[in-house]
Amino acid sequence: MVRRAVFFLILPLAGWAAGPTVAETARAVKAAGLDLDQCYRVRDLSLYKDDIKLYFNDGYLIFSKPVAGERIAAVFTADVEAGDGEILLLPPQRGERQSLARFTGSPNLNEHFSRALLIFTGDSGRQLLENIEKGSGHKAPEMAPLLAEQWTPVVSNILDSFSPRIAADLLMPGRADGLLLAALAGKALGNFDVIYDPAASEQVIVGQLMERNQRLAYDVWTRFTARRFRTGSATAPEPLFALTQFRIEASLDENLRLKAVTRATLKVGSQPLRTFALEVSRAEQVTAARMDDAPAELLISESTRSRALRADENDVFLVATPDFLAPGSTHHIEIEHEGALITSSGNGVYSVGGRSSWYPRSGAAFADYDLVFRYPRRLTLVTPGDIVADTIDGDWRNTERRTSVPIRVAGFNLGNYEKSSLSAGGLTVDVYGNRNLDPALRPPPQTTIFSRVVPAGPRTPPRQEVTTIVQNVPPPDPLARLNAVAADVSACFHYFSGLFGPPPLKTLTVSPIPGTFGQGFPGLVYLSTMAYLDPRERPAETRNATLQTFFSDLMVAHEVAHQWWGNVVTPKSYQDEWLLEALAHYSALLWLEKKKGSKALEDVMADFQADLLKTGEDNQTVESAGPVTWGYRLEASKTTDAYRVITYEKGAWVLHMLRKRLGNERFLKVLSELRRQYQFRGVGTADLLDLVKKSLPPGVSADSMEGFFDNWVYSTGIPTLRVKYSVKGKAPSWKISGTVEQSAVDDNFSVDIPVEIQFAKGAAQTIWVRTSKQPVSFSATLKQPPVRADIPAGASVLASRK
């Protein structure tokens, strides 16, 4: 059982009167139409919010009615002669300017607009009214009825969509800052949004809601930290609350529909709070909530924009208490939820959806878990943790598991499984495989066509006779590689333990999932059903060397490596997610190299480079879609597969080049130190750079490493390099002189690259040269004449060669 406090003391806080409920506030937000008494003709009116500069040069502005004493919306229209609005925004980072240019054609945003719908929960409304009073406008009551008629339905719709967020902000005591959303009708760029959100890790967002592949997606044109946070005049937002000590009691009925009660300990942050935003899989419904055994309000309403911005399959909902909860206080939250998360692929094979969001969560903080499941006895259910209880009740099975250390997320899987286990050195691996074949992997019938010429008869001419025979192909064995997978998982589990230190959970469970992907959760790996098949029996389209290596070697090791990268060390923000995926991917490559040699690793790196250099319909390379730090933003790219190729494959290249620059021993020491210093907390890309700068070999400067990260990590570009050289002199003193030219990258691209000088006898000599937009010279005095000077063959630097 989870230890719970005997009681929770809730005190109404002086000066923190609860006021209206969240539901009442949300209803007031939805009903806040336009105020006919607050319509103005404006000229030279401006609104500044850090890096965002909005100019309402000439037009009409009408405000919403107040809610909780504050204006929460306004509409601007330039429907007058020479009417105009303008937005100015300059992204501070090179990569963000590249992003903006990719979508708009310009590295800076300078767009005129004809209409603007503003939503605000901070001081933006007050600023506008104050500037109007100072002479930037005057009342225009004659236009109010027309604007209200045109815009009230639009304003009501968007206020309805954002009502949970607006209500939560309005009920926040001592709030000094708030949301600003400007939905603009650009004269050249069409409709787009400019958002300032002080609660986000990056407060400024510019983007556009688009339809792609019959789904709504959000193209983020640029996203960055606002000026006040960059300069330190404001501090990054802290979590408003944290959830720990989960106990989840879940049941799966005969149709595998989930019904669960999630209980957790909730600790309030540094300010009083009465609204708590949580998220859960969109496949579920939240039916009830309680705080400290008392009923709590539920507010469930998601906007299309917020869903598209998050780029996931979850919904956010609010739990609200009647009174504010004191800063630092601890409480007990309970949420009931249910839904159809599990789908059948047929033939007794199942897939669990919402794997990281099947229970209500907030963020990915580490927590202890007590997981209780009741499910059909005919199936096997796996979760992380040690068994506390396991009983049979007729056709049902009841299993309780408890984690021995805090983990960031708890998953589960189930099916009709066979099991293979291995234990050694204090580590245990349990690998489960489906007894039945995933129908998607059943080979199609084999068709054979026979043709022969029938000779002419006495009264008939010769003719061709065709016979078609259709034969079913024997299905592959879904457990063909069960023991091989178990052996590989066990071996790389021990190998990574030696490199990065022991894993927190000593038992690792691996279970199948239909599809061509895998996921590595704490103590639980979801592994593609493809990985269990004999390579000769996999679908024909996967029987090339690249995909066979992926399913047989890389996928298993990648997901096992996530026990360290992603589950012990976590990303600080979405911009650091690439690092954990790249670390897992490169760890898998280290395992491949150990098993099959350096040539196997170099072949994979060459495949990765080819993927990065593929061009799309716009004649742009996949790599140019954005830097590795963009994370989920790459999924909205116009370039197919950009997220996977850039995050995993370019990310692996970044680490591989670091290894070449530091040397193998120093590189592995950096990884070991990364795990030691950042276990059970978030790591950022800048943190990796700091560790690298402390581990540099002689002759490598910290400045060169900063340039490495600026170009390979925070920006885009794969250079084409050309080495030219000449040799003069005679024994025993030869002098080589040459240049390195780079092309196919922008003028700011500058990195250190190795020029390898080879001799007829003895080891090669390497000179490091920093590239530039102009040819860069190098020279060296040699004791013997060189045979060749060039960029080293194989995987040493991510570049094309002339």
Side-chain angles (χ1 to χ4, degrees):
M1 298 288 291
V2 174
R3 292 186 178 89
R4 293 174 54 188
V6 177
F7 63 88
F8 293 95
L9 182 62
I10 308 175
L11 297 176
L13 304 175
W16 296 339
T21 67
V22 174
E24 290 169 345
T25 305
R27 284 195 294 269
V29 168
K30 296 175 187 179
L34 295 174
D35 191 338
L36 299 184
D37 192 44
Q38 292 294 314
C39 180
Y40 298 88
R41 175 66 187 271
V42 295
R43 290 187 178 89
D44 301 325
L45 176 66
S46 61
L47 174 63
Y48 293 174
K49 182 63 76 171
D50 282 295
D51 303 83
I52 302 169
K53 297 181 178 180
L54 288 164
Y55 300 97
F56 308 96
N57 297 324
D58 197 357
Y60 292 99
L61 186 71
I62 184 170
F63 289 87
S64 72
K65 296 174 184 175
V67 177
E70 294 192 32
R71 308 282 175 179
I72 58 173
V75 172
F76 170 79
T77 175
D79 191 17
V80 297
E81 186 178 352
D84 182 52
E86 187 177 5
I87 168 78
L88 290 179
L89 183 140
L90 288 73
Q93 293 95 16
R94 173 180 158 199
E96 292 302 328
R97 292 192 292 272
Q98 288 178 329
S99 173
L100 188 60
R102 185 174 179 85
F103 286 100
T104 69
S106 171
N108 299 316
L109 183 63
N110 183 359
E111 174 76 351
H112 292 263
F113 57 84
S114 58
R115 297 179 303 279
L117 172 57
L118 308 177
I119 302 294
F120 34 73
T121 62
D123 59 357
S124 297
R126 291 191 296 274
Q127 284 186 36
L128 287 170
L129 285 169
E130 288 172 3
N131 288 339
I132 289 172
E133 290 175 2
K134 291 176 182 178
S136 293
H138 59 82
K139 283 196 173 183
E142 71 281 0
M143 285 297 296
L146 178 60
L147 292 177
E149 181 182 359
Q150 292 176 340
W151 285 95
T152 293
V154 178
V155 173
S156 297
N157 182 57
I158 199 163
L159 287 177
D160 187 11
S161 298
F162 282 90
S163 59
R165 169 59 190 273
I166 297 172
D169 279 9
L170 293 176
L171 294 174
M172 181 76 69
R175 171 177 45 85
D177 203 357
L179 175 74
L180 169 64
L181 184 148
L184 307 177
K187 294 182 178 179
L189 299 175
N191 296 334
F192 65 97
D193 301 330
V194 178
I195 303 170
Y196 171 84
D197 184 358
S201 58
E202 292 171 304
Q203 296 79 28
V204 178
I205 308 170
V206 181
Q208 188 175 51
L209 194 63
M210 300 289 289
E211 184 173 334
R212 187 174 293 115
N213 299 325
Q214 297 182 330
R215 295 186 62 182
L216 287 175
Y218 204 91
D219 282 343
V220 177
W221 295 355
T222 185
R223 181 170 186 170
F224 55 86
T225 304
R227 180 181 292 112
R228 70 181 67 180
F229 295 91
R230 296 197 305 272
T231 59
S233 59
T235 57
E238 297 180 356
L240 298 175
F241 65 95
L243 297 178
T244 61
Q245 299 288 343
F246 280 86
R247 179 179 173 85
I248 306 174
E249 297 176 1
S251 63
L252 297 167
D253 64 19
E254 193 58 44
N255 296 317
L256 302 184
R257 180 179 175 84
L258 179 137
K259 190 171 185 177
V261 178
T262 293
R263 299 180 177 90
T265 301
L266 182 149
K267 185 173 182 179
V268 181
S270 60
Q271 55 185 314
L273 206 60
R274 61 178 293 205
T275 60
F276 305 86
L278 302 168
E279 62 180 289
V280 73
S281 169
R282 203 168 296 164
E284 292 188 77
Q285 299 81 45
V286 176
T287 56
R290 301 176 70 84
M291 188 75 77
D292 299 329
D293 296 325
E297 279 189 279
L298 274 175
L299 189 60
I300 304 169
S301 178
E302 272 274 63
S303 73
T304 302
R305 276 181 174 82
S306 61
R307 279 178 169 171
L309 263 170
R310 285 202 316 277
D312 59 28
E313 296 298 323
N314 303 335
D315 272 344
V316 173
F317 64 97
L318 287 183
V319 175
T321 56
D323 300 303
F324 287 102
L325 305 185
S329 60
T330 300
H331 305 271
H332 178 67
I333 188 171
E334 177 181 307
I335 299 170
E336 297 178 22
H337 51 103
E338 60 182 273
L341 284 171
I342 300 168
T343 57
S344 171
S345 300
N347 202 29
V349 175
Y350 302 97
S351 178
V352 176
R355 288 173 292 279
S356 62
S357 57
W358 62 276
Y359 58 96
R361 300 173 61 209
S362 175
F366 287 88
D368 296 310
Y369 283 84
D370 199 351
L371 303 169
V372 182
F373 279 90
R374 178 178 175 83
Y375 55 98
R377 178 182 176 181
R378 60 187 168 83
L379 300 175
T380 299
L381 187 141
V382 294
T383 64
D386 302 320
I387 290 182
V388 176
D390 190 19
T391 61
I392 301 296
D393 180 14
D395 292 333
W396 302 93
R397 188 165 193 158
N398 302 290
T399 304
E400 180 178 359
R401 286 182 179 265
R402 187 176 299 154
T403 59
S404 56
V405 296
I407 59 177
R408 70 174 183 87
V409 64
F412 77 94
N413 204 2
L414 86 166
N416 182 13
Y417 294 149
E418 188 77 27
K419 177 183 175 183
S420 178
S421 296
L422 290 171
S423 295
L427 301 177
T428 298
V429 166
D430 294 328
V431 177
Y432 294 83
N434 288 316
R435 288 191 172 96
N436 303 318
L437 182 69
D438 178 358
L441 300 179
R442 183 178 294 277
Q446 188 175 54
T447 302
T448 306
I449 300 175
F450 298 95
S451 177
R452 70 185 185 93
V453 177
V454 178
R459 298 178 181 175
T460 60
R463 71 183 191 280
Q464 187 174 24
E465 183 177 86
V466 178
T467 304
T468 302
I469 299 176
V470 179
Q471 294 176 307
N472 289 327
V473 178
D477 179 2
L479 298 171
R481 296 187 69 246
L482 178 65
N483 293 330
V485 169
D488 198 40
V489 169
S490 180
C492 68
F493 198 34
H494 283 83
Y495 174 66
F496 295 149
S497 298
L499 291 181
F500 315 132
L505 296 176
K506 307 306 179 186
T507 297
L508 178 60
T509 300
V510 178
S511 58
I513 188 167
T516 57
F517 66 95
Q519 280 185 294
F521 282 20
L524 177 64
V525 166
Y526 299 89
L527 188 63
S528 167
T529 48
M530 195 87 72
Y532 291 83
L533 300 185
D534 185 311
R536 296 165 297 183
E537 294 186 316
R538 290 174 183 154
E541 61 270 19
T542 68
R543 291 181 206 158
N544 58 65
T546 299
L547 289 178
Q548 293 288 37
T549 297
F550 174 71
F551 287 116
S552 295
D553 297 303
L554 294 181
M555 175 183 278
V556 170
H558 175 104
E559 303 306 343
V560 172
H562 270 311
Q563 295 308 300
W564 289 265
W565 312 124
N567 293 323
V568 173
V569 180
T570 60
K572 275 185 178 176
S573 73
Y574 82 92
Q575 287 198 321
D576 307 305
E577 289 175 0
W578 78 272
L579 178 55
L580 285 308
E581 291 296 349
L583 283 165
H585 219 42
Y586 198 69
S587 297
L589 288 167
L590 291 173
W591 176 238
L592 177 69
E593 184 181 44
K594 179 177 175 59
K595 289 195 303 180
K596 298 186 176 181
S598 59
K599 177 63 166 57
L601 181 147
E602 290 178 1
D603 288 344
V604 173
M605 299 308 292
D607 288 339
F608 288 176
Q609 178 168 328
D611 288 344
L612 288 161
L613 290 172
K614 286 178 181 174
T615 56
E617 294 179 1
D618 58 358
N619 205 33
Q620 299 291 315
T621 64
V622 174
E623 190 273 343
S624 69
V628 292
T629 53
W630 281 6
Y632 79 94
R633 291 166 56 180
L634 294 167
E635 294 180 343
S637 168
K638 299 174 183 178
T639 306
T640 305
D641 222 16
Y643 173 81
R644 180 189 65 81
V645 173
I646 293 172
T647 302
Y648 292 76
E649 299 184 0
K650 186 180 179 183
W653 257 109
V654 168
L655 295 176
H656 186 65
M657 290 188 289
L658 273 179
R659 180 187 177 194
K660 292 292 184 180
R661 197 70 174 106
L662 299 179
N664 192 63
E665 184 177 346
R666 283 185 172 86
F667 175 75
L668 293 178
K669 184 179 178 181
V670 166
L671 299 193
S672 176
E673 193 65 14
L674 193 72
R675 182 263 164 90
R676 188 188 71 80
Q677 289 193 25
Y678 293 96
Q679 65 176 351
F680 304 123
R681 63 192 186 103
V683 68
T685 304
D687 299 320
L688 173 63
L689 174 58
D690 287 341
L691 282 177
V692 167
K693 289 195 289 189
K694 294 174 183 176
S695 305
L696 297 177
V700 179
S701 67
D703 176 66
S704 71
M705 283 296 99
E706 290 179 357
F708 180 100
F709 275 71
D710 284 343
N711 289 278
W712 292 120
V713 176
Y714 295 113
S715 190
T716 62
I718 298 178
T720 297
L721 301 175
R722 183 177 184 179
V723 177
K724 297 179 179 179
Y725 67 95
S726 62
V727 178
K728 295 180 180 180
K730 59 183 179 178
S733 180
W734 301 84
K735 184 170 183 180
I736 183 171
S737 301
T739 59
V740 176
E741 299 176 3
Q742 84 174 6
S743 57
V745 288
D746 66 37
D747 290 346
N748 295 316
F749 194 92
S750 177
V751 294
D752 291 346
I753 62 100
V755 175
E756 186 177 82
I757 304 171
Q758 300 172 353
F759 306 99
K761 295 180 181 180
Q765 179 178 334
T766 299
I767 299 174
W768 287 88
V769 179
R770 183 167 298 184
T771 64
S772 176
K773 63 181 179 179
Q774 302 295 335
V776 179
S777 301
F778 67 90
S779 64
T781 301
L782 313 172
K783 293 181 179 180
Q784 57 176 311
V787 174
R788 177 181 172 84
D790 205 349
I791 309 299
S796 61
V797 62
L798 179 57
S800 299
R801 297 160 181 81
K802 277 188 178 180

